[in-house]
Amino acid sequence: MNTASTTTHPTQTQVCIIGGGPSGLLLSQLLHLKGIDSVVLERQSRAYVLARIRAGVLEQGFAKLMREAQCGERMDREGHVHEGFFIAHDGKMSRIDLHKHADGKTVVVYGQTEVTRDLYEARDRLKGVVIHNAENVQPHRLKSEAPAGSAEARPYVTYEHEGQTHRLDCDYVVGADGYHGVSRKSIPSDVLREYEKVYPFGWLGVLSRTPPVSPELIYAKHERGFALCSMRSPMLSRYYIQVPLTDSVENWSDEAFWEELKRRLPPEVAAQLVTGPSIEKSIAPLRSFVVEPMRYGNLFLAGDAAHIVPPTGARGLNTAGSDIHYLYEGLVQHYLHGDDTGLDQYSANALARVWKTQRFSWMLTTLLHNFPDNAAYDQKLQQVELDYLFSSEKAQAALAENYTGLPY
Ligand code: RFL
Ligand code: PHB
């Protein structure tokens, strides 16, 4: 680990990025390659950030950004290109052919943990400043009446590190600090509009050192609840089952998890399932959330700080990637060409795509989960939606287009 990166405390930078998750690191790395200076302030230690198990599926746009950031080498070597996935329903397996239906587009199975590790290594290589264990991070003067360009108009960020308070002056603050971060909360509530939908269930996820049950992902709709068979590598599997929000991880032994997963899979798939001890087990509640606008004065929100999707469509990290694309372009236009059009349009451009991924994630979640209060009518609609999907090449093409990622 680069100890210098955790002990340097610059007092000035162009862009202060709050949050050292994938959004913040990716932006910082891309800006660096264009000669734009940034500092990343992360609340947690690097080990803590790298221990989080989250996304597994990258769309092509995200993979392209990783390559542009000179971080794509290991992803291209170790990631697995998937040309399709299965939806298990009514005891059978139906395949969505992404490659065929999305004009040759595919996805890459490569864990968010690895993405983050590659981004940290790249930041270290270029001597980028990432300050870990930054406590009580507070953005200030995000909007100022002072003349633009004057020292009094510039925002600054304060934070504590190893008992000392530091101040970092900057041109812009980027809030890439996730759903629970401080950035969104720094915007006056009368400026923000929040849209939220909370689902009456969560996902219990297990990571195990076992070979994946299928070479491609399986999304399973079952009367006992949804299940997902995913993977990280040929010897690392990731499985999820829908559980009530009242459940806790302690209630679920490994044996109980595997038994329940098997019940929700078609018998021939369940028979192939190799089980083993869990190396991670956690419950994530399912939520849809968007905040508008994604800019307030000199603060820009990006990624989970501004929007959350239920993980069903594998859109969260990928949508964070599209925010970073728009923000990066806007900042490059500003610093290299003196043109603020991209920054002025950031919120509108990012939100237009965010809402499309919200729609897709909601649709797939509604289609595949068991809703405790669903009337018989709603269950019939779920059934006919699946029948329609697998009877219509055009419906499969729409699914494939969204899953592989809408254009930026
Ligand atoms: P993150 O990853 O939450 O990073 C934010 C960082 O900010 C730090 N932070 C602060 N730092 C300083 N000061 C503060 N006050 C701070 N408050 C917070 C945090 O410590 C953290 O390091 O947000 P980011 O970078 O926007 O990235 C978003 C993604 O993490 C998220 O969208 C995905 O993980 C969602 N997701 C998936 N997305 C996909 O595209 N494909 C998938 O297959 C996929 N699967 C998933 C998922 C999320 C899941 N969970 C656990 C919600 C599967 C699951 C189960
Ligand atoms: C994962 O592998 O963690 C994963 C894959 C696909 C999803 C959600 C999560 O839709």
Side-chain angles (χ1 to χ4, degrees), residues 364-375:
L364 213 54
T365 303
T366 307
L367 178 66
L368 298 177
H369 288 74
N370 202 8
F371 285 75
D373 296 330
N374 251 8

Side-chain angles (χ1 to χ4, degrees), residues 54-57 203 217 219 228 230-232 238 240 311-314 403:
R54 287 192 177 169
V57 175
W203 279 16
L217 273 71
Y219 291 81
L228 170 60
S230 182
M231 66 212 68
R232 293 291 177 273
R238 182 71 167 156
Y240 298 95
T312 325
Y403 193 85

Side-chain angles (χ1 to χ4, degrees), residues 149-227:
S150 67
E152 294 72 35
R154 292 184 89 207
Y156 62 96
V157 178
T158 53
Y159 62 96
E160 287 157 29
H161 188 257
E162 293 173 354
Q164 299 247 331
T165 302
H166 299 270
R167 170 177 166 149
L168 177 62
D169 288 78
C170 54
D171 301 331
Y172 297 110
V173 180
V174 172
D177 47 355
Y179 181 68
H180 299 287
V182 66
S183 304
R184 191 179 66 249
K185 293 173 194 142
S186 311
I187 302 176
S189 54
D190 58 344
V191 174
L192 282 188
R193 174 117 197 238
E194 292 187 358
Y195 301 83
E196 186 177 45
K197 183 174 179 63
V198 177
Y199 298 85
F201 40 73
W203 279 16
L204 169 62
V206 157
L207 188 70
S208 66
R209 248 181 262 293
T210 51
V213 69
S214 154
E216 293 183 338
L217 273 71
I218 304 173
Y219 291 81
K221 173 176 171 21
H222 192 272
E223 61 192 17
R224 295 183 66 89
F226 170 81

Side-chain angles (χ1 to χ4, degrees), residues 45 77 114-115 281-282 354:
S45 69
R77 205 174 52 241
E114 306 312 316
V115 166
K281 199 190 281 169
S282 51
V354 161

